[in-house]
Amino acid sequence: MSTPSKRYRSATDRADLSQPHQLDQAIAVLDQMEKVKFDETVELSVALGVDPKQTSQSVRGTVNLPHGSGRKVVVAVFTEKPDEAKAAGADVIGLEDLVTKVKDGWCDFDVAIATPEAMKQVRSVARVLGPRGLMPTPKAGTVTDDVNSAVQAVKAGRVEFKMDKTGAFAVILGKRSFSPVQLVENALAALTAISEVRPEGLKGRYVRRMSISSTMSPGISLDKSVFSQL
């Protein structure tokens, strides 16, 4: 049997992690946990009650965090109009040259945005971008003619979530340096976005489990009644 770490034992002294918590309680518990030397990322982890094999039950969406994500996001834009992307604040801009770099395995960016016209060439690197979660899609707002708005939204704190093959995903809520109020408001925005992309016709439970954690903390179970706060 494995021995719980000192950090985990310290966390359990502050709260019963086996019991579900209301949202504000979970954030308060996290705020009391021991911090490390770097600014940890805070995430909401969700396990869904969908069938991942059914494409009609696929869950994917975006959320505009009111207080941002706290991350420095590197944005790459595939476009024929580099000046517009540069003015919007994109970090990497190109089309044929950028596609060639990606084909060679270069993917040092966090979000990829493309114009509809550029997608003709971007599809040639779908096998590279797709597995990394970087493929631009209209549903995520990353295939658009309005490059300026798309770049600014990502830089301001729009984050994407997409379930994996097990029907689970995580949503970034911010950083440990954020105030409890900021994390609660970001979490409420994320929960709203999750509820809005519930597959139509889904029978039974939509959300099975939820928890909040930081990079180095154990998960704090979240009571599913938090959806009633929306």
Side-chain angles (χ1 to χ4, degrees), residues 8-61:
Y8 183 86
R9 295 196 304 271
S10 175
T12 56
D13 288 341
R14 290 173 169 79
D16 183 356
L17 300 183
S18 66
Q19 297 299 316
H21 296 70
Q22 293 299 316
L23 178 58
D24 56 347
Q25 295 173 338
I27 297 296
V29 170
L30 179 64
D31 189 53
Q32 295 169 8
M33 288 184 179
E34 182 181 350
K35 295 182 179 180
V36 295
K37 294 181 179 180
F38 65 92
D39 196 4
E40 302 166 75
T41 297
V42 179
E43 290 186 330
L44 169 68
S45 298
V46 183
L48 300 174
V50 303
D51 183 355
K53 296 181 180 179
Q54 301 293 327
T55 56
S56 62
Q57 295 187 22
S58 177
V59 173
R60 179 175 188 170

mmCIF file of all heavy atoms in Angstrom, residues 8-61:
data_model
loop_
_atom_site.group_PDB
_atom_site.id
_atom_site.type_symbol
_atom_site.label_atom_id
_atom_site.label_comp_id
_atom_site.label_asym_id
_atom_site.label_seq_id
_atom_site.Cartn_x
_atom_site.Cartn_y
_atom_site.Cartn_z
ATOM 1 N N TYR A 8 -0.344 15.684 0.978
ATOM 2 C CA TYR A 8 -1.699 15.136 0.990
ATOM 3 C C TYR A 8 -2.219 15.031 2.422
ATOM 4 O O TYR A 8 -3.365 15.387 2.709
ATOM 5 C CB TYR A 8 -1.725 13.762 0.333
ATOM 6 C CG TYR A 8 -3.115 13.160 0.240
ATOM 7 C CD1 TYR A 8 -3.944 13.457 -0.839
ATOM 8 C CD2 TYR A 8 -3.606 12.334 1.248
ATOM 9 C CE1 TYR A 8 -5.225 12.932 -0.926
ATOM 10 C CE2 TYR A 8 -4.891 11.808 1.176
ATOM 11 C CZ TYR A 8 -5.687 12.106 0.082
ATOM 12 O OH TYR A 8 -6.965 11.590 0.014
ATOM 13 N N ARG A 9 -1.359 14.577 3.352
ATOM 14 C CA ARG A 9 -1.780 14.461 4.752
ATOM 15 C C ARG A 9 -2.108 15.831 5.325
ATOM 16 O O ARG A 9 -3.061 15.993 6.088
ATOM 17 C CB ARG A 9 -0.686 13.787 5.583
ATOM 18 C CG ARG A 9 -0.423 12.342 5.200
ATOM 19 C CD ARG A 9 0.366 11.618 6.295
ATOM 20 N NE ARG A 9 1.624 12.279 6.608
ATOM 21 C CZ ARG A 9 2.771 12.034 5.987
ATOM 22 N NH1 ARG A 9 2.796 11.143 4.985
ATOM 23 N NH2 ARG A 9 3.874 12.657 6.320
ATOM 24 N N SER A 10 -1.329 16.828 4.921
ATOM 25 C CA SER A 10 -1.592 18.188 5.377
ATOM 26 C C SER A 10 -2.934 18.683 4.853
ATOM 27 O O SER A 10 -3.690 19.357 5.561
ATOM 28 C CB SER A 10 -0.471 19.120 4.907
ATOM 29 O OG SER A 10 -0.753 20.468 5.239
ATOM 30 N N ALA A 11 -3.249 18.321 3.597
ATOM 31 C CA ALA A 11 -4.524 18.736 2.991
ATOM 32 C C ALA A 11 -5.706 18.099 3.697
ATOM 33 O O ALA A 11 -6.732 18.739 3.939
ATOM 34 C CB ALA A 11 -4.529 18.384 1.512
ATOM 35 N N THR A 12 -5.577 16.815 4.036
ATOM 36 C CA THR A 12 -6.686 16.112 4.701
ATOM 37 C C THR A 12 -6.908 16.619 6.116
ATOM 38 O O THR A 12 -7.986 16.419 6.688
ATOM 39 C CB THR A 12 -6.441 14.595 4.720
ATOM 40 O OG1 THR A 12 -5.177 14.324 5.360
ATOM 41 C CG2 THR A 12 -6.421 14.034 3.310
ATOM 42 N N ASP A 13 -5.894 17.258 6.704
ATOM 43 C CA ASP A 13 -6.081 17.855 8.028
ATOM 44 C C ASP A 13 -6.991 19.076 7.962
ATOM 45 O O ASP A 13 -7.591 19.465 8.961
ATOM 46 C CB ASP A 13 -4.725 18.285 8.621
ATOM 47 C CG ASP A 13 -3.877 17.092 9.038
ATOM 48 O OD1 ASP A 13 -4.443 15.995 9.222
ATOM 49 O OD2 ASP A 13 -2.647 17.258 9.167
ATOM 50 N N ARG A 14 -7.087 19.667 6.776
ATOM 51 C CA ARG A 14 -7.882 20.885 6.618
ATOM 52 C C ARG A 14 -9.322 20.600 6.174
ATOM 53 O O ARG A 14 -10.207 21.415 6.383
ATOM 54 C CB ARG A 14 -7.212 21.813 5.596
ATOM 55 C CG ARG A 14 -5.909 22.425 6.108
ATOM 56 C CD ARG A 14 -5.187 23.189 5.005
ATOM 57 N NE ARG A 14 -4.080 23.988 5.519
ATOM 58 C CZ ARG A 14 -2.895 23.485 5.837
ATOM 59 N NH1 ARG A 14 -2.661 22.197 5.671
ATOM 60 N NH2 ARG A 14 -1.943 24.273 6.308
ATOM 61 N N ALA A 15 -9.544 19.454 5.552
ATOM 62 C CA ALA A 15 -10.897 19.136 5.069
ATOM 63 C C ALA A 15 -11.013 17.652 4.787
ATOM 64 O O ALA A 15 -10.010 16.960 4.551
ATOM 65 C CB ALA A 15 -11.204 19.925 3.801
ATOM 66 N N ASP A 16 -12.237 17.157 4.807
ATOM 67 C CA ASP A 16 -12.514 15.762 4.465
ATOM 68 C C ASP A 16 -12.634 15.680 2.950
ATOM 69 O O ASP A 16 -13.666 16.027 2.378
ATOM 70 C CB ASP A 16 -13.806 15.311 5.145
ATOM 71 C CG ASP A 16 -14.108 13.833 4.892
ATOM 72 O OD1 ASP A 16 -13.340 13.193 4.130
ATOM 73 O OD2 ASP A 16 -15.086 13.327 5.446
ATOM 74 N N LEU A 17 -11.576 15.218 2.287
ATOM 75 C CA LEU A 17 -11.559 15.203 0.827
ATOM 76 C C LEU A 17 -12.442 14.119 0.242
ATOM 77 O O LEU A 17 -12.671 14.093 -0.968
ATOM 78 C CB LEU A 17 -10.117 15.022 0.323
ATOM 79 C CG LEU A 17 -9.127 16.107 0.753
ATOM 80 C CD1 LEU A 17 -7.767 15.848 0.125
ATOM 81 C CD2 LEU A 17 -9.633 17.492 0.362
ATOM 82 N N SER A 18 -12.967 13.233 1.074
ATOM 83 C CA SER A 18 -13.847 12.177 0.578
ATOM 84 C C SER A 18 -15.283 12.662 0.408
ATOM 85 O O SER A 18 -16.105 11.983 -0.214
ATOM 86 C CB SER A 18 -13.833 10.974 1.537
ATOM 87 O OG SER A 18 -14.409 11.335 2.794
ATOM 88 N N GLN A 19 -15.570 13.849 0.948
ATOM 89 C CA GLN A 19 -16.928 14.391 0.884
ATOM 90 C C GLN A 19 -17.015 15.514 -0.147
ATOM 91 O O GLN A 19 -16.077 16.297 -0.305
ATOM 92 C CB GLN A 19 -17.338 14.934 2.258
ATOM 93 C CG GLN A 19 -17.409 13.882 3.340
ATOM 94 C CD GLN A 19 -18.431 12.802 3.032
ATOM 95 O OE1 GLN A 19 -19.553 13.106 2.604
ATOM 96 N NE2 GLN A 19 -18.052 11.552 3.220
ATOM 97 N N PRO A 20 -18.158 15.604 -0.870
ATOM 98 C CA PRO A 20 -18.328 16.690 -1.847
ATOM 99 C C PRO A 20 -18.511 18.034 -1.156
ATOM 100 O O PRO A 20 -19.049 18.107 -0.050
ATOM 101 C CB PRO A 20 -19.592 16.282 -2.618
ATOM 102 C CG PRO A 20 -20.346 15.411 -1.665
ATOM 103 C CD PRO A 20 -19.311 14.677 -0.866
ATOM 104 N N HIS A 21 -18.042 19.080 -1.808
ATOM 105 C CA HIS A 21 -18.108 20.435 -1.252
ATOM 106 C C HIS A 21 -18.892 21.351 -2.189
ATOM 107 O O HIS A 21 -18.915 21.149 -3.397
ATOM 108 C CB HIS A 21 -16.705 21.018 -1.075
ATOM 109 C CG HIS A 21 -15.851 20.292 -0.089
ATOM 110 N ND1 HIS A 21 -15.352 19.027 -0.313
ATOM 111 C CD2 HIS A 21 -15.397 20.678 1.138
ATOM 112 C CE1 HIS A 21 -14.629 18.644 0.731
ATOM 113 N NE2 HIS A 21 -14.633 19.624 1.610
ATOM 114 N N GLN A 22 -19.492 22.367 -1.618
ATOM 115 C CA GLN A 22 -20.050 23.437 -2.427
ATOM 116 C C GLN A 22 -18.891 24.205 -3.058
ATOM 117 O O GLN A 22 -17.757 24.155 -2.569
ATOM 118 C CB GLN A 22 -20.922 24.361 -1.589
ATOM 119 C CG GLN A 22 -22.198 23.709 -1.072
ATOM 120 C CD GLN A 22 -23.096 23.245 -2.210
ATOM 121 O OE1 GLN A 22 -23.297 23.965 -3.188
ATOM 122 N NE2 GLN A 22 -23.642 22.035 -2.096
ATOM 123 N N LEU A 23 -19.164 24.922 -4.127
ATOM 124 C CA LEU A 23 -18.103 25.573 -4.886
ATOM 125 C C LEU A 23 -17.260 26.510 -4.026
ATOM 126 O O LEU A 23 -16.022 26.426 -4.026
ATOM 127 C CB LEU A 23 -18.704 26.333 -6.072
ATOM 128 C CG LEU A 23 -17.716 27.118 -6.939
ATOM 129 C CD1 LEU A 23 -16.646 26.201 -7.510
ATOM 130 C CD2 LEU A 23 -18.455 27.849 -8.054
ATOM 131 N N ASP A 24 -17.905 27.414 -3.292
ATOM 132 C CA ASP A 24 -17.135 28.363 -2.489
ATOM 133 C C ASP A 24 -16.348 27.659 -1.396
ATOM 134 O O ASP A 24 -15.235 28.068 -1.042
ATOM 135 C CB ASP A 24 -18.052 29.442 -1.901
ATOM 136 C CG ASP A 24 -19.194 28.867 -1.082
ATOM 137 O OD1 ASP A 24 -19.442 27.648 -1.157
ATOM 138 O OD2 ASP A 24 -19.845 29.645 -0.352
ATOM 139 N N GLN A 25 -16.900 26.554 -0.856
ATOM 140 C CA GLN A 25 -16.187 25.790 0.161
ATOM 141 C C GLN A 25 -14.951 25.120 -0.430
ATOM 142 O O GLN A 25 -13.875 25.108 0.193
ATOM 143 C CB GLN A 25 -17.105 24.721 0.763
ATOM 144 C CG GLN A 25 -18.290 25.278 1.539
ATOM 145 C CD GLN A 25 -19.252 24.184 1.975
ATOM 146 O OE1 GLN A 25 -19.291 23.103 1.393
ATOM 147 N NE2 GLN A 25 -20.033 24.466 3.005
ATOM 148 N N ALA A 26 -15.091 24.556 -1.635
ATOM 149 C CA ALA A 26 -13.968 23.887 -2.286
ATOM 150 C C ALA A 26 -12.829 24.868 -2.558
ATOM 151 O O ALA A 26 -11.652 24.557 -2.335
ATOM 152 C CB ALA A 26 -14.433 23.237 -3.584
ATOM 153 N N ILE A 27 -13.173 26.063 -3.030
ATOM 154 C CA ILE A 27 -12.153 27.081 -3.299
ATOM 155 C C ILE A 27 -11.492 27.526 -1.998
ATOM 156 O O ILE A 27 -10.276 27.749 -1.947
ATOM 157 C CB ILE A 27 -12.762 28.288 -4.027
ATOM 158 C CG1 ILE A 27 -13.309 27.870 -5.403
ATOM 159 C CG2 ILE A 27 -11.753 29.400 -4.166
ATOM 160 C CD1 ILE A 27 -12.262 27.367 -6.370
ATOM 161 N N ALA A 28 -12.280 27.633 -0.934
ATOM 162 C CA ALA A 28 -11.728 28.031 0.362
ATOM 163 C C ALA A 28 -10.760 26.975 0.885
ATOM 164 O O ALA A 28 -9.700 27.302 1.442
ATOM 165 C CB ALA A 28 -12.854 28.260 1.372
ATOM 166 N N VAL A 29 -11.114 25.705 0.726
ATOM 167 C CA VAL A 29 -10.233 24.615 1.145
ATOM 168 C C VAL A 29 -8.931 24.661 0.349
ATOM 169 O O VAL A 29 -7.837 24.527 0.903
ATOM 170 C CB VAL A 29 -10.926 23.252 0.960
ATOM 171 C CG1 VAL A 29 -9.932 22.103 1.147
ATOM 172 C CG2 VAL A 29 -12.081 23.107 1.943
ATOM 173 N N LEU A 30 -9.042 24.851 -0.959
ATOM 174 C CA LEU A 30 -7.853 24.932 -1.800
ATOM 175 C C LEU A 30 -6.965 26.096 -1.366
ATOM 176 O O LEU A 30 -5.732 25.974 -1.315
ATOM 177 C CB LEU A 30 -8.260 25.107 -3.267
ATOM 178 C CG LEU A 30 -7.114 25.241 -4.275
ATOM 179 C CD1 LEU A 30 -6.281 23.962 -4.320
ATOM 180 C CD2 LEU A 30 -7.656 25.568 -5.662
ATOM 181 N N ASP A 31 -7.580 27.216 -1.023
ATOM 182 C CA ASP A 31 -6.826 28.404 -0.632
ATOM 183 C C ASP A 31 -6.020 28.164 0.649
ATOM 184 O O ASP A 31 -4.978 28.787 0.859
ATOM 185 C CB ASP A 31 -7.789 29.579 -0.439
ATOM 186 C CG ASP A 31 -7.077 30.904 -0.233
ATOM 187 O OD1 ASP A 31 -6.225 31.254 -1.072
ATOM 188 O OD2 ASP A 31 -7.365 31.585 0.774
ATOM 189 N N GLN A 32 -6.503 27.257 1.498
ATOM 190 C CA GLN A 32 -5.835 26.970 2.760
ATOM 191 C C GLN A 32 -4.720 25.942 2.617
ATOM 192 O O GLN A 32 -3.897 25.782 3.528
ATOM 193 C CB GLN A 32 -6.857 26.455 3.784
ATOM 194 C CG GLN A 32 -7.907 27.477 4.175
ATOM 195 C CD GLN A 32 -9.036 26.862 4.979
ATOM 196 O OE1 GLN A 32 -8.971 25.707 5.376
ATOM 197 N NE2 GLN A 32 -10.083 27.644 5.210
ATOM 198 N N MET A 33 -4.689 25.238 1.496
ATOM 199 C CA MET A 33 -3.683 24.193 1.315
ATOM 200 C C MET A 33 -2.294 24.774 1.127
ATOM 201 O O MET A 33 -2.126 25.912 0.679
ATOM 202 C CB MET A 33 -4.048 23.318 0.113
ATOM 203 C CG MET A 33 -5.234 22.409 0.356
ATOM 204 S SD MET A 33 -5.550 21.319 -1.068
ATOM 205 C CE MET A 33 -6.950 20.373 -0.443
ATOM 206 N N GLU A 34 -1.306 23.973 1.454
ATOM 207 C CA GLU A 34 0.081 24.387 1.346
ATOM 208 C C GLU A 34 0.439 24.762 -0.088
ATOM 209 O O GLU A 34 0.079 24.053 -1.029
ATOM 210 C CB GLU A 34 0.985 23.240 1.809
ATOM 211 C CG GLU A 34 2.462 23.548 1.799
ATOM 212 C CD GLU A 34 3.291 22.367 2.256
ATOM 213 O OE1 GLU A 34 2.705 21.386 2.747
ATOM 214 O OE2 GLU A 34 4.527 22.430 2.123
ATOM 215 N N LYS A 35 1.129 25.865 -0.245
ATOM 216 C CA LYS A 35 1.525 26.333 -1.571
ATOM 217 C C LYS A 35 2.983 25.959 -1.855
ATOM 218 O O LYS A 35 3.767 25.728 -0.936
ATOM 219 C CB LYS A 35 1.335 27.842 -1.693
ATOM 220 C CG LYS A 35 -0.123 28.287 -1.600
ATOM 221 C CD LYS A 35 -0.276 29.780 -1.780
ATOM 222 C CE LYS A 35 -1.738 30.197 -1.702
ATOM 223 N NZ LYS A 35 -1.918 31.659 -1.873
ATOM 224 N N VAL A 36 3.321 25.909 -3.122
ATOM 225 C CA VAL A 36 4.692 25.605 -3.524
ATOM 226 C C VAL A 36 5.352 26.884 -4.035
ATOM 227 O O VAL A 36 4.771 27.966 -3.969
ATOM 228 C CB VAL A 36 4.704 24.501 -4.607
ATOM 229 C CG1 VAL A 36 4.170 23.199 -4.035
ATOM 230 C CG2 VAL A 36 3.886 24.921 -5.827
ATOM 231 N N LYS A 37 6.554 26.750 -4.572
ATOM 232 C CA LYS A 37 7.319 27.936 -4.948
ATOM 233 C C LYS A 37 6.875 28.592 -6.248
ATOM 234 O O LYS A 37 7.232 29.729 -6.526
ATOM 235 C CB LYS A 37 8.805 27.579 -5.039
ATOM 236 C CG LYS A 37 9.415 27.193 -3.698
ATOM 237 C CD LYS A 37 10.886 26.882 -3.831
ATOM 238 C CE LYS A 37 11.503 26.511 -2.483
ATOM 239 N NZ LYS A 37 12.944 26.198 -2.605
ATOM 240 N N PHE A 38 6.115 27.859 -7.082
ATOM 241 C CA PHE A 38 5.624 28.462 -8.321
ATOM 242 C C PHE A 38 4.115 28.663 -8.245
ATOM 243 O O PHE A 38 3.445 28.086 -7.376
ATOM 244 C CB PHE A 38 5.989 27.595 -9.537
ATOM 245 C CG PHE A 38 5.330 26.238 -9.553
ATOM 246 C CD1 PHE A 38 4.109 26.039 -10.195
ATOM 247 C CD2 PHE A 38 5.935 25.153 -8.934
ATOM 248 C CE1 PHE A 38 3.511 24.798 -10.215
ATOM 249 C CE2 PHE A 38 5.337 23.891 -8.958
ATOM 250 C CZ PHE A 38 4.124 23.721 -9.598
ATOM 251 N N ASP A 39 3.601 29.479 -9.140
ATOM 252 C CA ASP A 39 2.170 29.802 -9.147
ATOM 253 C C ASP A 39 1.409 28.684 -9.855
ATOM 254 O O ASP A 39 1.345 28.624 -11.082
ATOM 255 C CB ASP A 39 1.937 31.142 -9.852
ATOM 256 C CG ASP A 39 0.565 31.725 -9.557
ATOM 257 O OD1 ASP A 39 -0.176 31.137 -8.746
ATOM 258 O OD2 ASP A 39 0.230 32.769 -10.160
ATOM 259 N N GLU A 40 0.805 27.801 -9.081
ATOM 260 C CA GLU A 40 0.143 26.625 -9.634
ATOM 261 C C GLU A 40 -1.102 26.991 -10.452
ATOM 262 O O GLU A 40 -1.776 27.977 -10.176
ATOM 263 C CB GLU A 40 -0.275 25.676 -8.505
ATOM 264 C CG GLU A 40 0.846 25.189 -7.627
ATOM 265 C CD GLU A 40 0.322 24.559 -6.361
ATOM 266 O OE1 GLU A 40 -0.182 23.419 -6.433
ATOM 267 O OE2 GLU A 40 0.400 25.214 -5.300
ATOM 268 N N THR A 41 -1.396 26.150 -11.430
ATOM 269 C CA THR A 41 -2.626 26.290 -12.215
ATOM 270 C C THR A 41 -3.758 25.582 -11.494
ATOM 271 O O THR A 41 -3.582 24.482 -10.966
ATOM 272 C CB THR A 41 -2.442 25.678 -13.611
ATOM 273 O OG1 THR A 41 -1.427 26.397 -14.320
ATOM 274 C CG2 THR A 41 -3.741 25.742 -14.415
ATOM 275 N N VAL A 42 -4.929 26.201 -11.467
ATOM 276 C CA VAL A 42 -6.114 25.617 -10.847
ATOM 277 C C VAL A 42 -7.028 25.101 -11.953
ATOM 278 O O VAL A 42 -7.280 25.810 -12.937
ATOM 279 C CB VAL A 42 -6.871 26.647 -9.982
ATOM 280 C CG1 VAL A 42 -8.124 26.028 -9.370
ATOM 281 C CG2 VAL A 42 -5.946 27.182 -8.885
ATOM 282 N N GLU A 43 -7.503 23.869 -11.804
ATOM 283 C CA GLU A 43 -8.342 23.252 -12.818
ATOM 284 C C GLU A 43 -9.609 22.649 -12.229
ATOM 285 O O GLU A 43 -9.627 22.222 -11.071
ATOM 286 C CB GLU A 43 -7.585 22.137 -13.550
ATOM 287 C CG GLU A 43 -6.480 22.600 -14.458
ATOM 288 C CD GLU A 43 -5.875 21.457 -15.251
ATOM 289 O OE1 GLU A 43 -5.877 20.316 -14.748
ATOM 290 O OE2 GLU A 43 -5.401 21.700 -16.371
ATOM 291 N N LEU A 44 -10.634 22.615 -13.054
ATOM 292 C CA LEU A 44 -11.864 21.903 -12.754
ATOM 293 C C LEU A 44 -11.854 20.626 -13.587
ATOM 294 O O LEU A 44 -11.802 20.694 -14.813
ATOM 295 C CB LEU A 44 -13.085 22.754 -13.115
ATOM 296 C CG LEU A 44 -14.452 22.046 -13.108
ATOM 297 C CD1 LEU A 44 -14.834 21.657 -11.681
ATOM 298 C CD2 LEU A 44 -15.523 22.934 -13.736
ATOM 299 N N SER A 45 -11.862 19.462 -12.930
ATOM 300 C CA SER A 45 -11.874 18.180 -13.632
ATOM 301 C C SER A 45 -13.290 17.617 -13.621
ATOM 302 O O SER A 45 -13.964 17.643 -12.582
ATOM 303 C CB SER A 45 -10.915 17.185 -12.963
ATOM 304 O OG SER A 45 -9.589 17.662 -13.018
ATOM 305 N N VAL A 46 -13.729 17.119 -14.770
ATOM 306 C CA VAL A 46 -15.110 16.662 -14.929
ATOM 307 C C VAL A 46 -15.140 15.288 -15.574
ATOM 308 O O VAL A 46 -14.470 15.049 -16.578
ATOM 309 C CB VAL A 46 -15.920 17.645 -15.798
ATOM 310 C CG1 VAL A 46 -17.373 17.193 -15.898
ATOM 311 C CG2 VAL A 46 -15.835 19.057 -15.245
ATOM 312 N N ALA A 47 -15.907 14.383 -14.987
ATOM 313 C CA ALA A 47 -16.162 13.067 -15.576
ATOM 314 C C ALA A 47 -17.628 13.026 -15.981
ATOM 315 O O ALA A 47 -18.516 13.251 -15.152
ATOM 316 C CB ALA A 47 -15.861 11.951 -14.579
ATOM 317 N N LEU A 48 -17.887 12.779 -17.262
ATOM 318 C CA LEU A 48 -19.247 12.845 -17.799
ATOM 319 C C LEU A 48 -19.919 11.472 -17.841
ATOM 320 O O LEU A 48 -19.250 10.433 -17.877
ATOM 321 C CB LEU A 48 -19.214 13.434 -19.213
ATOM 322 C CG LEU A 48 -18.654 14.842 -19.341
ATOM 323 C CD1 LEU A 48 -18.547 15.222 -20.814
ATOM 324 C CD2 LEU A 48 -19.526 15.849 -18.598
ATOM 325 N N GLY A 49 -21.236 11.503 -17.894
ATOM 326 C CA GLY A 49 -22.012 10.279 -18.006
ATOM 327 C C GLY A 49 -22.459 10.026 -19.429
ATOM 328 O O GLY A 49 -23.548 9.508 -19.661
ATOM 329 N N VAL A 50 -21.617 10.394 -20.390
ATOM 330 C CA VAL A 50 -21.940 10.202 -21.804
ATOM 331 C C VAL A 50 -21.239 8.956 -22.330
ATOM 332 O O VAL A 50 -20.360 8.396 -21.670
ATOM 333 C CB VAL A 50 -21.518 11.425 -22.651
ATOM 334 C CG1 VAL A 50 -22.186 12.688 -22.129
ATOM 335 C CG2 VAL A 50 -19.999 11.582 -22.631
ATOM 336 N N ASP A 51 -21.628 8.535 -23.523
ATOM 337 C CA ASP A 51 -20.952 7.426 -24.191
ATOM 338 C C ASP A 51 -19.944 8.016 -25.171
ATOM 339 O O ASP A 51 -20.331 8.534 -26.221
ATOM 340 C CB ASP A 51 -21.969 6.559 -24.933
ATOM 341 C CG ASP A 51 -21.328 5.342 -25.587
ATOM 342 O OD1 ASP A 51 -20.082 5.226 -25.549
ATOM 343 O OD2 ASP A 51 -22.071 4.499 -26.136
ATOM 344 N N PRO A 52 -18.651 7.945 -24.852
ATOM 345 C CA PRO A 52 -17.639 8.568 -25.716
ATOM 346 C C PRO A 52 -17.600 8.002 -27.131
ATOM 347 O O PRO A 52 -17.094 8.652 -28.045
ATOM 348 C CB PRO A 52 -16.315 8.267 -24.981
ATOM 349 C CG PRO A 52 -16.717 7.985 -23.570
ATOM 350 C CD PRO A 52 -18.050 7.328 -23.671
ATOM 351 N N LYS A 53 -18.154 6.809 -27.325
ATOM 352 C CA LYS A 53 -18.134 6.185 -28.648
ATOM 353 C C LYS A 53 -19.206 6.762 -29.574
ATOM 354 O O LYS A 53 -19.158 6.549 -30.782
ATOM 355 C CB LYS A 53 -18.323 4.673 -28.513
ATOM 356 C CG LYS A 53 -17.189 3.981 -27.761
ATOM 357 C CD LYS A 53 -17.405 2.486 -27.673
ATOM 358 C CE LYS A 53 -16.278 1.794 -26.912
ATOM 359 N NZ LYS A 53 -16.497 0.334 -26.812
ATOM 360 N N GLN A 54 -20.171 7.472 -28.989
ATOM 361 C CA GLN A 54 -21.252 8.063 -29.774
ATOM 362 C C GLN A 54 -20.883 9.507 -30.137
ATOM 363 O O GLN A 54 -20.746 10.358 -29.258
ATOM 364 C CB GLN A 54 -22.563 8.044 -28.982
ATOM 365 C CG GLN A 54 -23.031 6.676 -28.570
ATOM 366 C CD GLN A 54 -23.436 5.834 -29.762
ATOM 367 O OE1 GLN A 54 -23.945 6.335 -30.767
ATOM 368 N NE2 GLN A 54 -23.216 4.518 -29.668
ATOM 369 N N THR A 55 -20.716 9.764 -31.420
ATOM 370 C CA THR A 55 -20.340 11.118 -31.840
ATOM 371 C C THR A 55 -21.406 12.145 -31.456
ATOM 372 O O THR A 55 -21.082 13.318 -31.240
ATOM 373 C CB THR A 55 -20.114 11.173 -33.358
ATOM 374 O OG1 THR A 55 -21.294 10.702 -34.036
ATOM 375 C CG2 THR A 55 -18.933 10.283 -33.747
ATOM 376 N N SER A 56 -22.643 11.712 -31.363
ATOM 377 C CA SER A 56 -23.727 12.629 -30.992
ATOM 378 C C SER A 56 -23.634 13.062 -29.530
ATOM 379 O O SER A 56 -24.293 14.018 -29.115
ATOM 380 C CB SER A 56 -25.084 11.976 -31.245
ATOM 381 O OG SER A 56 -25.245 10.815 -30.442
ATOM 382 N N GLN A 57 -22.819 12.356 -28.741
ATOM 383 C CA GLN A 57 -22.663 12.687 -27.326
ATOM 384 C C GLN A 57 -21.305 13.325 -27.026
ATOM 385 O O GLN A 57 -20.900 13.430 -25.882
ATOM 386 C CB GLN A 57 -22.865 11.436 -26.463
ATOM 387 C CG GLN A 57 -24.273 10.885 -26.527
ATOM 388 C CD GLN A 57 -24.519 9.753 -25.550
ATOM 389 O OE1 GLN A 57 -23.830 9.601 -24.560
ATOM 390 N NE2 GLN A 57 -25.529 8.948 -25.830
ATOM 391 N N SER A 58 -20.627 13.751 -28.083
ATOM 392 C CA SER A 58 -19.337 14.413 -27.901
ATOM 393 C C SER A 58 -19.533 15.769 -27.221
ATOM 394 O O SER A 58 -20.474 16.501 -27.542
ATOM 395 C CB SER A 58 -18.645 14.590 -29.253
ATOM 396 O OG SER A 58 -17.444 15.291 -29.119
ATOM 397 N N VAL A 59 -18.660 16.090 -26.301
ATOM 398 C CA VAL A 59 -18.757 17.354 -25.570
ATOM 399 C C VAL A 59 -17.492 18.174 -25.784
ATOM 400 O O VAL A 59 -16.381 17.704 -25.520
ATOM 401 C CB VAL A 59 -18.963 17.107 -24.059
ATOM 402 C CG1 VAL A 59 -18.882 18.421 -23.284
ATOM 403 C CG2 VAL A 59 -20.302 16.421 -23.813
ATOM 404 N N ARG A 60 -17.682 19.376 -26.282
ATOM 405 C CA ARG A 60 -16.569 20.291 -26.535
ATOM 406 C C ARG A 60 -17.095 21.708 -26.486
ATOM 407 O O ARG A 60 -18.209 21.984 -26.923
ATOM 408 C CB ARG A 60 -15.951 20.010 -27.899
ATOM 409 C CG ARG A 60 -14.788 20.914 -28.272
ATOM 410 C CD ARG A 60 -14.155 20.486 -29.578
ATOM 411 N NE ARG A 60 -12.928 21.207 -29.864
ATOM 412 C CZ ARG A 60 -12.094 20.890 -30.848
ATOM 413 N NH1 ARG A 60 -12.361 19.869 -31.640
ATOM 414 N NH2 ARG A 60 -10.999 21.595 -31.032
ATOM 415 N N GLY A 61 -16.318 22.609 -25.958
ATOM 416 C CA GLY A 61 -16.767 23.996 -25.905
ATOM 417 C C GLY A 61 -15.671 24.943 -25.471
ATOM 418 O O GLY A 61 -14.515 24.548 -25.292
#
